[in-house]
Amino acid sequence: MSAATRRRFDMHRSQLAQFEPTLALELDDLLARARIVGELRVPAGGSIVRSVQIEIRYHRLDPLCLPETYDPVRRFPPSPDRHIDSDGGFCMWLPQTEPRDFDGEDGLLLHLGRVREFIVLQFMYEIRRARNVKPAWPGEAWGHGIDGHVEWIREQLTRLPSCDLNKFSQDLVRGRGATSPDSPCPCGGRQSFRRCHRPFTELIKRVASKDSALTAAVVRILKESA
C-alpha cells in the first residue's frame, strides 16, 4: 500500500471517528481488502432514530474509487422494487449516473449521506406498502436492468435541443463521422461534436465497456430507430 493510499484511509478513519463513531474502517493488507462496518444512525420520523447495519466495500485497496454498500444482515429483503440486489447490495444509481466526488476530501461523508437517504426511502417504502400506496417506492427511480438504461439514454437525448431521436445511429454511438471534436456532430445538428454529443458518447462507450446491460440498451434503441 502506498503512502498516499495509507494517508487517505487514515483520513477516512478519522472522519468516521469524528462524525460516524458507530462505523469502523477495517483494512486487511494480506487480502487486499478494505471495508467499513457497523451501524449507521438514520432518522425515521419525528425524534426517532434507527440504527441500521451496513457494510461499505472499497474496490480492493482503492480509497478514491466509489465503493459499494451492502445490507449484511438482510434488514431489507432483496427486491427490484426496493432497489436491493440479491446479495444485499444497494442499487442506488445507474453506473453512468454514479456520483463522481468520492475522491474528494469529503467524499466518504457525502457517500454516507446518500446511503442514509437511501435507507430513509426504505423505511418509507415499508410504510407505503403496508398502506397499499402505489407505487410503493417513494422516490424517482430508473427501470430495472436494460429498461433503466434505455430510459436514461432517451432522457439524455431529449435534453439536447439539436437532437432528433430518429437520427440516433451507430455513427453517433461510436463517434464515427467526427474526425475531431470540432467536426459537425453525427446527430445532424448544427453544433460541433464537442458541444453536442461528444460527452454523451464518451460516457456511453466508457460505461458500455463494463456493463453489458447498457450495450444491450444501445442495441435496442438502434433497432427501434432504424
Side-chain angles (χ1 to χ4, degrees):
M1 184 185 303
S2 69
T5 296
R6 178 71 66 179
R7 285 195 298 271
R8 176 67 63 157
F9 277 127
D10 286 344
M11 183 180 74
H12 284 183
R13 184 176 283 109
S14 176
Q15 290 175 334
L16 292 175
Q18 182 177 0
F19 299 106
E20 303 286 351
T22 55
L23 295 174
L25 174 62
E26 298 179 351
L27 288 176
D28 190 324
D29 291 347
L30 184 61
L31 297 178
R33 184 180 71 181
R35 64 177 185 167
I36 293 172
V37 295
E39 296 182 344
L40 184 68
R41 293 174 60 80
V42 180
S47 59
I48 300 174
V49 177
R50 297 183 185 178
S51 294
V52 177
Q53 286 280 345
I54 64 168
E55 178 181 354
I56 296 176
R57 300 176 187 173
Y58 292 84
H59 292 277
R60 296 185 68 80
L61 289 176
D62 188 348
L64 301 179
C65 182
L66 186 68
E68 297 176 344
T69 305
Y70 293 83
D71 171 12
V73 297
R74 301 299 194 272
R75 162 62 180 81
F76 306 110
S79 165
D81 288 340
R82 63 192 307 163
H83 307 283
I84 296 183
D85 297 330
S86 59
D87 61 355
F90 289 176
C91 185
M92 299 170 61
W93 36 63
L94 294 173
Q96 59 270 33
T97 65
E98 67 181 24
R100 310 290 293 178
D101 53 14
F102 189 76
D103 59 350
E105 289 191 1
D106 294 329
L108 175 59
L109 298 178
L110 291 172
H111 181 67
L112 290 172
R114 291 166 183 142
V115 172
R116 185 175 276 111
E117 292 172 359
F118 183 79
I119 294 175
V120 168
L121 292 177
Q122 296 295 329
F123 294 152
M124 294 173 65
Y125 172 91
E126 293 174 342
I127 294 173
R128 290 167 65 91
R129 188 175 180 185
R131 296 176 178 176
N132 200 31
V133 177
K134 297 182 180 180
W137 185 253
E140 296 182 358
W142 301 104
H144 306 305
I146 296 174
D147 291 339
H149 289 294
V150 169
E151 292 172 13
W152 176 81
I153 292 172
R154 291 188 181 282
E155 179 178 302
Q156 302 312 301
L157 293 173
T158 56
R159 286 180 176 179
L160 294 163
S162 66
C163 180
D164 180 351
L165 185 57
N166 292 326
K167 294 180 180 179
F168 187 86
S169 66
Q170 199 87 5
D171 286 342
L172 178 59
V173 174
R174 295 182 177 177
R176 292 177 180 173
T179 56
S180 73
D182 295 320
S183 299
C185 185
C187 75
R190 297 180 179 180
Q191 298 189 71
S192 67
F193 187 44
R194 181 200 306 274
R195 294 182 177 276
C196 197
H197 279 81
R198 186 189 185 195
F200 170 68
T201 56
E202 290 299 315
L203 179 58
I204 284 279
K205 288 186 288 184
R206 177 168 55 81
V207 176
S209 66
K210 303 177 181 179
D211 192 323
S212 58
L214 179 57
T215 303
V218 170
V219 171
R220 180 192 294 183
I221 289 182
L222 291 172
K223 290 181 178 178
E224 292 175 353
S225 61

